[in-house]
Amino acid sequence: MTCQTTIQQVKLAVLSLVVYFHHTWSLTVSQHLEQGTQLLRAGSLGEALNHYHAAVEGDTKNYLAYYQRATVYLALGRHRQALADFDSVINIKPDFHRAKSERAGVLLKQGKIDEAKAGYMALMSVDRDKAEEGLREVPILAQAVEEGDAAMENSDFATAVDHYDKAIDIAKWDTSLREKRSDAYLKLGNIISAIGDVRAIAKLTNDNTEAYLKLSHLHYLMGDEEESLKEIRECLKLDQDHKECHEHYKKVKKLVKQLTSAQDKINEGLYGEAITKLEAALKTEPSQNKIVLKILSRLCLSNKQGGFAEEGIRTCSKVLELESQDIEALTNRAECYILIEDFESAISDYQSALKVTDTKHVQDGLKRAEKLLKQSKKRDYYKILGVPRNADKSQINKAYRKLAREYHPDKYTDEKEKEEAEKKFIDIAAAKEVLTDDEKREQFDNGDDPLDPETEQGRNFHQHFNGFHFGGQQFHFKFH
């Protein structure tokens, strides 16, 4: 076989393939249209769109391929692509009035008033009912936008929202209207509704980094740092070099890490470590009210749980400066006041909390604070031993041994001094008895004195000491 023969065979083979594929491609366009229609009826929009793409590529003059693809685009909310396809349909087949009607409807929903009006006017001769229906909405939309803008200029934001609502009911895809309404919502302090509009804008426009940046800032403004981080990541997916998104991302990511770590420490009961991390978070974000409130609330709780009463009172008070009816801050501060035996202030905080919510937790706290106040006017075992209310057993025993040695009656010879020492010694022994017994200490901390002379347990204790004689050789006191 010669080289010339081989070349001739290759040419023939290529020609045969061209003829074959030309024939097959013509059939494929029809098949794609048919399969696309079947999938569209079944609700498989993505697969239907793929077939219509192939049909358009196979025959750029097939107006039905463009029209069917446009209907899928509309179903997917991709109105800009749909509009472009309707334009192609009309260019190919100017008398296809259904495409003109659909196109005018898209323009109206996009808020393109003049173009929509022109589109409906062109329909008057072929579909008067449809044209008049659209033309009735055009002036309503125009008036709503005009009055909304005027209300914004007059700082009447609630009225502006009402007018923009009417406009958006007609022009659902007009992002400029949603931007205006979101601004009005923000002026009214309605961040959640503003987020709804900005989120819609992000969906209506492709690659909208500014929308995701704004969403992130709005969630941050609400004190939702985790959702803020999620939205700013969407911005960076679209443009990893976006300067503003990158700067905000670094800050929010750092804050989320600090707050998550602090919460883990709180859950583990490591309140000192939690406080350190929360104070670092406060340096990361010292001014945004909702975030600052969240950090201070956790500091308030951690200080109370950790027994850091003075710092707890300070941080809880800062929370209440930002949110005067914060129940958790009121009750946590009340417990901190109890730790430093300022029972009047604790009662005041519980009473304030009770005005906001009449829960059992608050009621029990108030009763306990009132009992502790009453108890403090009688005998306070913590004061007797000179230990704080959150002292552990080793601190209590150490204080007891020191005072028991100091006030042991056998050290005194003067009868009057001996009598005073005996009374003091009994109080010291009673304090140890209560504070080293978990059950009795819990009773005392809840405002009930387990050694109250009016109770049987208390009478037994006092009878034991009243019948006890110090001095002589038969008594030997052991300091355990």
Side-chain angles (χ1 to χ4, degrees), residues 214-232:
K214 190 171 183 179
L215 276 174
S216 182
H217 279 302
L218 288 175
H219 280 293
Y220 197 77
L221 194 62
M222 285 186 68
D224 191 345
E225 69 284 349
E226 291 187 359
E227 194 65 26
S228 176
L229 182 60
K230 176 183 171 183
E231 298 297 350
I232 205 65

Side-chain angles (χ1 to χ4, degrees), residues 146 156 182 200 309 468:
E146 183 180 346
D156 187 355
S182 72
F468 195 86

Side-chain angles (χ1 to χ4, degrees), residues 216-420:
S216 182
H217 279 302
L218 288 175
H219 280 293
Y220 197 77
L221 194 62
M222 285 186 68
D224 191 345
E225 69 284 349
E226 291 187 359
E227 194 65 26
S228 176
L229 182 60
K230 176 183 171 183
E231 298 297 350
I232 205 65
R233 279 175 172 156
E234 292 300 318
C235 174
L236 291 173
K237 284 180 185 177
L238 297 173
D239 181 1
Q240 62 181 357
D241 297 321
H242 195 290
K243 185 178 179 182
E244 288 180 83
C245 286
H246 188 64
E247 288 177 359
H248 189 58
Y249 169 74
K250 287 193 296 182
K251 179 180 179 178
V252 180
K253 183 183 177 183
K254 180 180 179 181
L255 182 68
V256 168
K257 184 177 179 181
Q258 289 169 328
L259 291 179
T260 300
S261 180
Q263 188 60 50
D264 289 341
K265 297 301 179 184
I266 291 172
N267 295 340
E268 294 168 16
L270 302 173
Y271 300 109
E273 293 182 39
I275 289 166
T276 300
K277 293 184 180 297
L278 288 167
E279 287 173 344
L282 203 54
K283 291 179 180 177
T284 301
E285 181 47 78
S287 59
Q288 192 58 260
N289 277 1
K290 294 286 186 180
I291 299 290
V292 170
L293 180 62
K294 179 182 288 189
I295 298 170
L296 289 173
S297 294
R298 294 183 188 180
L299 277 169
C300 168
L301 171 67
S302 298
N303 280 303
K304 188 268 288 186
Q305 292 291 89
F308 311 114
E310 296 289 351
E311 192 61 20
I313 290 167
R314 186 184 72 83
T315 51
C316 292
S317 296
K318 284 195 170 185
V319 172
L320 292 166
E321 287 174 12
L322 295 171
E323 186 56 67
S324 63
Q325 294 187 331
D326 190 303
I327 299 300
E328 188 177 346
L330 283 167
T331 55
N332 282 336
R333 188 172 71 172
E335 290 302 311
C336 289
Y337 279 131
I338 286 173
L339 285 174
I340 62 170
E341 301 182 6
D342 184 353
F343 304 118
E344 289 89 349
S345 295
I347 289 169
S348 176
D349 274 352
Y350 272 121
Q351 286 174 336
S352 296
L354 201 61
K355 291 176 183 176
V356 180
T357 178
D358 189 18
T359 62
K360 188 176 185 300
H361 169 66
V362 175
Q363 290 175 352
D364 290 346
L366 178 58
K367 288 176 183 176
R368 177 167 158 265
E370 289 172 339
K371 280 184 178 180
L372 289 169
L373 176 61
K374 183 179 178 182
Q375 182 190 84
S376 70
K377 294 176 180 177
K378 295 179 180 179
R379 182 168 57 173
D380 187 330
Y381 297 125
Y382 291 104
K383 285 184 178 178
I384 289 170
L385 293 183
V387 295
R389 294 187 78 86
N390 58 351
D392 58 30
K393 285 186 180 180
S394 63
Q395 291 174 288
I396 291 166
N397 282 321
K398 182 178 178 181
Y400 164 72
R401 288 193 295 270
K402 179 182 176 183
L403 292 170
R405 289 191 184 96
E406 183 178 348
Y407 291 101
H408 195 288
D410 287 352
K411 290 178 62 177
Y412 299 87
T413 55
D414 180 84
E415 287 301 319
K416 187 175 181 180
E417 289 181 352
K418 190 180 187 74
E419 185 180 342
E420 290 295 323

Side-chain angles (χ1 to χ4, degrees), residues 464-476:
H464 169 74
F465 271 96
N466 287 339
F468 195 86
H469 296 285
F470 293 96
Q473 297 301 313
Q474 66 260 61
F475 172 66
H476 301 282

Side-chain angles (χ1 to χ4, degrees), residues 198-218:
V198 178
R199 193 174 299 285
I201 292 168
K203 289 181 179 179
L204 288 168
T205 52
N206 295 327
D207 301 335
N208 195 330
T209 55
E210 296 309 309
Y212 286 112
L213 177 61
K214 190 171 183 179
L215 276 174
S216 182
H217 279 302
L218 288 175

Side-chain angles (χ1 to χ4, degrees), residues 420-440:
E420 290 295 323
E422 285 179 1
K423 290 178 182 178
K424 188 78 173 175
F425 190 85
I426 290 171
D427 283 344
I428 294 165
K432 177 181 180 293
E433 171 78 12
V434 171
L435 299 184
T436 56
D437 183 295
D438 292 339
E439 186 177 344
K440 290 176 183 175

